[in-house]
């Protein structure tokens, strides 16, 4: 499967979230580019998992602040995905070659998730925080951006 490319179709309408999604795409592409190098893969996998988990937490906080009615269902989808990726990481740690399979799974999952579940919360977040997301509490930002 090819490298994933950002396009406006993936925008949820909130800049801060789009930027995080773009960064996740960069990680996924790094995975794509290094599927045959286990040493690099180890770091890429750890970084991808860590950043994606923080990003999910960020989204969930914003949804909660915006009183988004489908937060619980959305969080359940995030949690299931985290467990699914953790199983890939376990297989990798056990010596299996899972990089390509994981890459394809991530691409499919991310594109579908961003275009459906994430796009659905867009209007609620824009209403609460504006299209940049900068009206969000400062604490929201510091964890991921340090500003
Ligand atoms: Fe999400």
């Amino acid at each position: 499967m090819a490298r994933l490319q950002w396009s406006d179709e993936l925008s949820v309408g909130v800049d801060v979230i789009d930027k995080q999604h773009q960064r996740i795409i960069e990680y996924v592409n790094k995975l794509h580019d290094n599927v045959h190098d286990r040493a690099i893969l180890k770091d890429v996998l750890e970084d991808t998992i860590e950043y994606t988990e923080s990003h999910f937490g960020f989204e969930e906080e914003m949804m909660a602040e915006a009183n988004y009615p489908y937060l619980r269902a959305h969080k359940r989808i995030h949690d299931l995905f985290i467990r699914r990726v953790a199983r890939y990481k376990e297989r990798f740690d056990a010596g299996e070659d899972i990089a390509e399979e994981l890459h394809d799974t991530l691409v499919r999952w991310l594109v579908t998730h961003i275009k459906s579940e994430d796009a659905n919360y867009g209007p609620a977040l824009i209403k609460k925080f504006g299209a940049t997301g900068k009206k969000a509490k400062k604490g929201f930002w510091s964890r991921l951006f340090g500003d």
Side-chain angles (χ1 to χ4, degrees):
M1 195 181 275
R3 295 174 111 247
L4 185 52
Q5 224 173 346
W6 170 264
S7 71
D8 287 343
E9 267 177 63
L10 293 173
S11 174
V12 300
V14 182
D15 283 354
V16 62
I17 301 276
D18 286 348
K19 288 201 180 91
Q20 292 174 11
H21 286 156
Q22 284 161 7
R23 190 151 161 201
I24 292 174
I25 288 172
E26 279 172 30
Y27 281 124
V28 171
N29 285 334
K30 237 188 225 177
L31 178 63
H32 173 276
D33 296 343
N34 294 286
V35 283
H36 300 300
D37 188 327
R38 282 190 70 84
I40 297 177
L41 272 181
K42 188 178 178 295
D43 288 342
V44 174
L45 281 179
E46 280 165 8
D47 291 348
T48 307
I49 290 169
E50 197 187 303
Y51 187 79
T52 304
E53 286 185 13
S54 321
H55 163 71
F56 285 169
F58 182 87
E59 277 189 348
E60 287 159 15
E61 279 181 56
M62 287 191 92
M63 284 186 262
E65 280 288 306
N67 289 315
Y68 181 63
Y70 307 110
L71 166 61
R72 274 182 61 168
H74 198 130
K75 185 172 169 17
R76 205 173 310 126
I77 292 167
H78 284 168
D79 291 347
L80 279 173
F81 181 70
I82 287 171
R83 285 208 287 279
R84 195 167 155 198
V85 174
R87 280 197 294 273
Y88 275 107
K89 178 70 169 58
E90 282 165 21
R91 286 171 58 196
F92 175 83
D93 290 341
E96 264 191 72
D97 181 9
I98 50 88
E100 256 168 276
E101 190 187 330
L102 174 61
H103 171 264
D104 295 356
T105 300
L106 289 175
V107 169
R108 277 193 213 99
W109 191 90
L110 278 170
V111 170
T112 309
H113 182 70
I114 292 172
K115 281 186 178 173
S116 55
E117 285 96 17
D118 288 349
N120 285 343
Y121 68 51
L125 262 52
I126 292 168
K127 196 169 162 210
K128 176 78 181 178
F129 303 112
T132 61
K134 288 208 169 174
K135 284 190 221 152
K137 273 196 267 169
K138 212 162 170 55
F140 279 6
W141 294 82
S142 53
R143 213 177 47 218
L144 286 146
F145 294 103
D147 65 8

